Amino acid sequence: MLNNSLADNSSLENGRPEPNITALLPILIFLIIYLGSGLYYEYIHPIEGKMGFYITSVVVSFGIALITAFMQNRKLSFDEKINVCAKGIGNTSVTIMLLIFLLAGAFSGIATAAGGAINTANLLLSIIPADFSLVGIFLIACVISMSMGTSVGTISMLAPIALIIANNSGISVPLCAATVIGGAMFGDNLSFISDTTIVATKTQGVAMKEKFLANIKIALPAAVITVVVLIGISIHSEINLTDNLDFNFLLTLPYFLVFGLALAGINVFLVLLIGIILFIIFGVCFDAISYATAFEAMGNGTSSMFETIIVSILVASISALVKEHGGFEAILEYIRKHFNSKKGGMLGIALLTSFMDVATANNTVAIFAAAPIAKDISKEYGVTGRITASLMDTCSCIVQGIIPYGAQLLVAASIMGISSISIMPYLFYQFILTLFVAIVIIRAR
């Protein structure tokens, strides 16, 4: 009795609720609704012209999960639960993320409308010899994704070019698709304006530059080995790329400037604003856009971020309630029992983030959902914030770039007229990156 009393008092002094596995029910409900229906409509009962994992809205699925969270823990009144949600949503990191999402959307919209993305791709592809176009498309995807901060946007832009390479060579279409996806995930993982980078760094309270330096030690060697593999494939393939890819060099400058400023550690808000202004000026000067179309493009870009913003708010609310009800403590208790070292803590963070991505098919949402638990794990086992952010971002990008029901594979498959499953065996970068993550964890001290 005395020991139990002391444990209860200790729990109260630490401000932590008692571990409660049933508090994780909202997450299970989300998995059943979103992942279950996605698998059903993608592989069991597909609907023509629709992607199975986009029939059931992720917003609605999380909404039902939030209702479930509200129905738990009768010790708290409805108003008290609303207050818990408000504190979760009102977190400084969440507010910063929501504002950056809006700016990132505006930047992506104006960059695409002004022709900066396609001109940058064509410039790089024109520099690379035709015999190594497969390697080139990987490197181009890396650079464009780092500049744009979006893997799906990169894939949408480069998949048609990759299809041309496949049609004009002996290289298989799934291999070309996988090459684009690999490069896109490399850039998405490292980009300073990527949703995943923003969420991983802000939730763990670390600077983007610190996370980048930790990430590059894992991602760059994996990319180099991938390039070597692609060179080996190119040597045994006859490529004859005849299409003339035109570009305007000046329209590529804003992209490279934005990346340079971000790499220099300039505030992300300022970087995005400079990029937006430059694309408006350059786009208007070269008649790529008008004043009206520029603002329309920015509006469309910010609108494309609305679902991400809503999901972020819902996840913040659910996470706050699950934590308040003792769900995160239950996970931490399990990890403490099975992972008793720094290596175990790092492995726990990696597995947790990967699981969340398998469940949500969205790397940004996966990081956001796993972040509170990951932060507690990092404190418990002495894992630095930059390593935690790096592991979360890297593992979410690995899984997101492999699952056949994720947007990345589905978009590439749709554009290139193949099945997403046929791409999976050629995802060299993701598989190699997984190996390097394992090495980092094994070597941790």
Side-chain angles (χ1 to χ4, degrees):
M1 290 292 292
L2 179 61
N3 289 337
N4 289 338
S5 176
L6 289 173
D8 290 342
N9 289 335
S10 176
S11 177
L12 290 172
E13 288 174 3
N14 292 331
R16 290 179 172 182
E18 288 296 314
N20 178 18
I21 193 69
T22 60
L24 298 173
L25 181 61
I27 298 175
L28 178 61
I29 293 295
F30 170 79
L31 292 176
I32 292 172
I33 295 173
Y34 185 71
L35 186 58
S37 65
L39 289 169
Y40 177 78
Y41 285 116
E42 183 68 23
Y43 302 110
I44 300 174
H45 192 270
I47 297 177
E48 187 177 354
K50 292 184 179 291
M51 295 180 180
F53 280 84
Y54 293 88
I55 291 175
T56 302
S57 168
V58 66
V59 173
V60 173
S61 301
F62 271 121
I64 296 172
L66 180 58
I67 293 172
T68 304
F70 266 97
M71 294 173 66
Q72 294 182 300
N73 194 358
R74 295 184 180 180
K75 293 180 181 179
L76 294 180
S77 67
F78 180 81
D79 288 342
E80 287 173 327
K81 291 174 183 176
I82 288 290
N83 188 49
V84 171
C85 292
K87 288 180 179 178
I89 299 170
N91 182 281
T92 302
S93 297
V94 175
T95 303
I96 291 173
M97 281 190 298
L98 297 180
L99 293 175
I100 291 178
F101 286 162
L102 290 173
L103 269 179
F107 173 80
S108 179
I110 190 66
T112 301
I118 192 65
N119 275 278
T120 303
N122 287 355
L123 166 64
L124 296 174
L125 196 58
S126 298
I127 295 173
I128 298 166
D131 288 343
F132 295 97
S133 296
L134 188 61
V135 178
I137 204 71
F138 175 76
L139 296 176
I140 291 168
C142 291
V143 174
I144 298 300
S145 187
M146 287 185 72
S147 301
M148 291 180 66
T150 166
S151 54
V152 174
T154 301
I155 292 166
S156 299
M157 181 184 67
L158 292 182
I161 298 175
L163 184 59
I164 293 172
I165 293 174
N167 290 335
N168 291 343
S169 68
I171 302 173
S172 73
V173 175
L175 173 57
C176 284
T179 302
V180 172
I181 295 169
M185 299 317 297
F186 171 88
D188 194 0
N189 183 204
L190 293 175
S191 175
F192 285 84
I193 59 173
S194 167
D195 294 358
T196 58
T197 294
I198 295 166
V199 175
T201 54
K202 296 304 178 183
T203 56
Q204 302 307 308
V206 298
M208 291 187 181
K209 190 173 182 178
E210 291 181 8
K211 178 259 181 188
F212 175 86
L213 293 175
N215 251 140
I216 198 71
K217 294 177 182 178
I218 305 172
L220 187 58
V224 170
I225 294 175
T226 301
V227 168
V228 172
V229 172
L230 294 176
I231 288 175
I233 294 173
S234 298
I235 290 174
H236 295 89
S237 303
E238 184 178 347
I239 302 175
N240 182 26
L241 191 61
T242 57
D243 295 72
N244 183 27
L245 300 171
D246 296 324
F247 64 89
N248 184 330
F249 178 75
L250 293 178
L251 283 175
T252 69
L253 292 181
Y255 262 133
F256 293 114
L257 180 60
V258 164
F259 176 65
L261 291 174
L263 196 59
I266 305 299
N267 183 281
V268 66
F269 286 103
L270 184 59
V271 169
L272 289 172
L273 283 173
I274 291 173
I276 290 169
I277 292 170
L278 287 176
F279 270 122
I280 291 175
I281 294 173
F282 279 69
V284 170
C285 287
F286 290 99
D287 294 325
I289 54 173
S290 64
Y291 176 86
T293 55
F295 279 87
E296 182 182 10
M298 286 189 289
N300 291 335
T302 53
S303 295
S304 69
M305 300 297 287
F306 287 172
E307 183 176 81
T308 300
I309 291 172
I310 293 171
V311 167
S312 297
I313 292 172
L314 289 172
V315 170
S317 300
I318 294 169
S319 297
L321 287 173
V322 170
K323 184 175 183 179
E324 182 72 20
H325 297 166
F328 289 173
E329 278 301 309
I331 295 176
L332 283 171
E333 186 178 58
Y334 177 84
I335 292 175
R336 289 188 192 105
K337 288 181 179 179
H338 296 83
F339 303 99
N340 300 314
S341 64
K342 183 177 180 180
K343 292 180 182 179
M346 292 172 67
L347 179 60
I349 292 169
L351 292 177
L352 173 66
T353 309
S354 299
F355 169 75
M356 289 296 184
D357 198 274
V358 168
T360 62
N362 185 307
N363 46 350
T364 304
V365 174
I367 294 173
F368 200 96
I373 306 175
K375 193 165 188 176
D376 285 342
I377 295 173
S378 66
K379 290 179 180 178
E380 186 85 15
Y381 296 106
V383 182
T384 62
R386 67 188 184 92
I387 294 298
T388 300
S390 174
L391 280 173
M392 292 173 64
D393 198 349
T394 303
C395 291
S396 68
C397 282
I398 288 172
V399 176
Q400 187 66 25
I402 290 177
I403 52 176
Y405 52 87
Q408 287 74 8
L409 266 70
L410 290 175
V411 168
S414 177
I415 292 174
M416 302 182 78
I418 54 178
S419 72
S420 59
I421 298 233
S422 68
I423 301 173
M424 294 178 67
Y426 303 99
L427 297 168
F428 304 128
Y429 173 71
Q430 288 87 317
F431 298 142
I432 296 170
L433 185 59
T434 302
L435 177 61
F436 274 92
V437 170
I439 292 171
V440 168
I441 294 174
I442 292 171
R443 295 181 63 185
R445 294 180 179 178

